Amino acid sequence: ALDFVMWCGPCHGRRGEGNGPIAAQLQTSPPDLTEIQKRAGGTFPTDMIRARIDGREQPQAHGTQEMPAWGYWFNLQATGGGLIEEGEQSAKEEVQARIDQLVLFLQTLQK
């Protein structure tokens, strides 16, 4: 998945093992994404992973997260930073499709 390599790979690594080229520079080491299902007791937590990637509905009371809220970035791309007059629904569908593809890709990485 191109989005994974481009947006996730620098921290999580091309294979999702938490060893991307900038991982050592982060305050918190990125998790090994190949063990999501294992850490969740054997079932891949699709909805939780989708929400974690999106990040737009994270309550501020829980503090900031180190991982960027990719839903915001993908929405900016879908609308050209607000310059493209793409319908709100169309942009939302594009963002959700990209996040869904990332979730599906992560499922393929599970050990």
Side-chain angles (χ1 to χ4, degrees):
L2 181 59
D3 273 337
F4 185 85
V5 171
M6 184 174 226
W7 304 110
C8 310
C11 297
H12 293 283
R14 292 179 77 92
R15 290 188 210 105
E17 296 171 333
N19 58 355
I22 65 169
Q25 299 170 16
L26 301 174
Q27 289 183 346
T28 303
S29 296
D32 182 340
L33 300 178
T34 67
E35 296 186 348
I36 294 170
Q37 185 168 307
K38 182 178 174 182
R39 288 191 301 267
T43 303
F44 191 83
T46 304
D47 291 338
M48 188 266 297
I49 295 301
R50 183 179 289 118
R52 180 79 169 115
I53 293 169
D54 189 320
R56 290 179 288 179
E57 295 183 24
Q58 294 272 333
Q60 289 299 319
H62 292 170
T64 59
Q65 59 183 25
E66 280 197 69
M67 188 176 91
W70 294 115
Y72 287 117
W73 290 100
F74 295 164
N75 189 64
L76 284 173
Q77 289 178 335
T79 63
L83 298 175
I84 298 172
E85 291 189 27
E86 182 166 356
E88 182 179 325
Q89 185 62 32
S90 178
K92 182 178 180 179
E93 289 170 6
E94 181 179 328
V95 170
Q96 285 309 121
R98 288 177 74 179
I99 292 171
D100 288 346
Q101 287 299 311
L102 282 169
V103 171
L104 289 172
F105 182 74
L106 286 171
Q107 287 178 304
T108 70
L109 296 179
Q110 302 310 293
K111 292 181 181 175

